[in-house]
Each structure stands twice: as C-alpha cells, then as structure tokens.
Amino acid sequence: MPRFVEKSAKTVREAIDLALLELNTTEDKVEVEVLEEGSKGIFGLIGSKQAKVRVTLKETSGDRAKKFLLDVLSKMKVNADILVEESEDTISLKIEGDDIGIIIGRRGETLDALQYLTSLVVNRSKEGYKRIVIDVENYRKKREETLIRLANRLADRVIKYKKNITLEPMNPYERRVIHSCLQNHKYVETYSVGEEPNRKVIIALK
C-alpha cells in the first residue's frame, strides 16, 4: 500500500475523498496537504483549475513496531516477513520466513527479549499503552500447550506423592499459563516465589 497519494478534483473535498478511497482509510488516519486550492474560472469553465491534494497515511504503533523489528532482524542477518494485526490495546506481530528458529532462542528467551524491546520502542512517549505480542512459527501457542500438559502432569504427581513441586524459573507469561491452568483445580494450588529472572512456580496440595 502506498504511504501517500496525490489526487486532483474540482474541489479540495472531492480530491480528499478520492485519496481516502484509494488508500482505503478514514480522514482521522491521514495527514492532508493542499497543493492547489483550485478555481472555477470564468463562467465555471474558462481558466478553471482543479484542486490538488497530497494525502499521507499517519504512522501507526504497528508501523513503528514492524519497522523496528525489521531493522533488528536485518542486523541479525535474518530475512523475514512480518504480519501486523493491531487492535485498540494490542499489537500482534507474526514473523514468517525460512530458517528463523534463531529468533526464538532457548525456551523463547530471544523472542521475549525482542518483544520487550519492541514494547519499549512503541510505548515510548506515547499516550495509551499498547501490549506487544510477537510470535514465530506459532511458537507461543505450542509453548502454551506444552505448559498446560506439564501443569496437569505435575499436579497429578503432587496429588499422588503428596509433595510440593517447584518448577524451573519461568518468565511472567509462562507462569501465568501455569497459574491459569490450575486455578480451579480441586486438590492443588499454585503460587510464585523468588525474584526475576529466577521467579518460579510452586504446585502444592491445598
């Protein structure tokens, strides 16, 4: 999609509307520059001049996130495409390409670092916080499914042996998955101990 278009019409309003139609957007998401006001001329015919405008799409938070990520990936020698989905409070970025496993890192550590840095860039000096979610090869969903299976398996072990189990250190997102999975469990409960980045989840009998 072009970042801007220039349109001419009988009036400035008509030219703006043509540009908005081509950009498939609304006026609140663009900046308008009037290049020529236009004139009717004599009797509306002789010497008439069309109005001309340049309409430019405003940079969104999603644009900033994508631009930053592409720059970082370029420095990592990673060639990838990024699909952006932006809602009122969340920006989801899906990274696609060949040989991009390096972006995930050990247990998602590189992916989490990229997500954290992108969040800093997007939310710097901006009104309204945007949650950033970056995913590669559907890693987040696969990791969540793995953690849910782990939580249920360890809960059964706690019940069987009547002994608390302490999991390895996890990031906040992964701890939330464990807590959420077992929050309504009849026989076990969960809580976190320790300081970041070594904070751990404990599964215990109620």
Side-chain angles (χ1 to χ4, degrees), residues 5 11 13 16 31 36 38 53 63 74 76 100 104 117 122 124 128-129 142 150 155 162 165-166 198:
V5 295
T11 65
R13 181 69 261 169
I16 292 173
E31 294 177 352
E36 294 179 11
V53 299
D63 293 331
S74 176
M76 294 172 65
I100 55 176
I104 299 173
L117 292 173
V122 169
R124 181 175 54 202
Y129 179 81
K142 293 175 183 176
L150 174 67
K162 295 181 171 54
I165 291 179
T166 302
N198 297 311

Side-chain angles (χ1 to χ4, degrees), residues 37-192:
E37 289 285 353
S39 59
K40 292 183 178 180
I42 302 173
F43 306 121
L45 296 171
I46 302 172
S48 63
K49 195 174 184 180
Q50 285 197 320
K52 186 176 183 181
V53 299
R54 177 184 290 122
V55 176
T56 305
L57 283 169
K58 293 178 181 177
E59 185 181 55
T60 67
S61 296
D63 293 331
R64 287 192 295 277
K66 181 176 181 178
K67 182 178 179 181
F68 172 75
L69 261 185
L70 285 174
D71 185 51
V72 172
L73 294 179
S74 176
K75 289 179 170 60
M76 294 172 65
K77 309 298 182 185
V78 174
N79 185 24
D81 293 322
I82 300 176
L83 303 179
V84 181
E85 292 182 4
E86 186 170 357
S87 65
E88 186 175 341
D89 58 1
T90 303
I91 300 173
S92 297
L93 302 111
K94 296 182 180 179
I95 303 175
E96 299 180 345
D98 298 324
D99 301 322
I100 55 176
I102 186 176
I103 302 173
I104 299 173
R106 179 179 174 272
R107 289 181 51 243
E109 290 176 350
T110 303
L111 191 60
D112 289 338
L114 285 172
Q115 185 168 286
Y116 174 72
L117 292 173
T118 304
S119 180
L120 290 180
V121 169
V122 169
N123 292 299
R124 181 175 54 202
S125 302
K126 298 293 175 184
E127 294 182 3
Y129 179 81
K130 286 274 191 178
R131 178 171 172 259
I132 303 297
V133 179
I134 300 177
D135 202 0
V136 176
E137 297 177 340
N138 213 22
Y139 170 80
R140 299 286 185 196
K141 182 174 179 60
K142 293 175 183 176
R143 179 63 175 164
E144 181 176 335
E145 292 171 348
T146 298
L147 289 171
I148 289 173
R149 289 195 297 270
L150 174 67
N152 287 318
R153 186 170 69 250
L154 293 181
D156 290 342
R157 189 178 300 176
V158 168
I159 296 168
K160 181 177 181 179
Y161 296 105
K162 295 181 171 54
K163 185 177 180 181
N164 296 354
I165 291 179
T166 302
L167 281 68
E168 63 182 1
M170 293 180 176
N171 61 43
Y173 162 75
E174 294 183 336
R175 294 198 305 272
R176 281 196 298 272
V177 173
I178 300 294
H179 291 313
S180 177
C181 175
L182 299 177
Q183 66 180 352
N184 296 318
H185 199 286
K186 188 175 181 179
Y187 300 109
V188 303
E189 61 184 358
T190 63
Y191 55 92
S192 297

Side-chain angles (χ1 to χ4, degrees), residues 1-5 7 15-30 55-58 60:
M1 177 186 293
R3 303 310 302 167
F4 73 89
V5 295
K7 288 293 181 181
I16 292 173
D17 289 341
L18 287 173
L20 294 176
L21 183 63
E22 182 167 330
L23 290 170
N24 191 30
T25 189
T26 53
E27 196 162 353
D28 61 313
K29 297 178 181 178
V30 300
V55 176
T56 305
L57 283 169
K58 293 178 181 177
T60 67

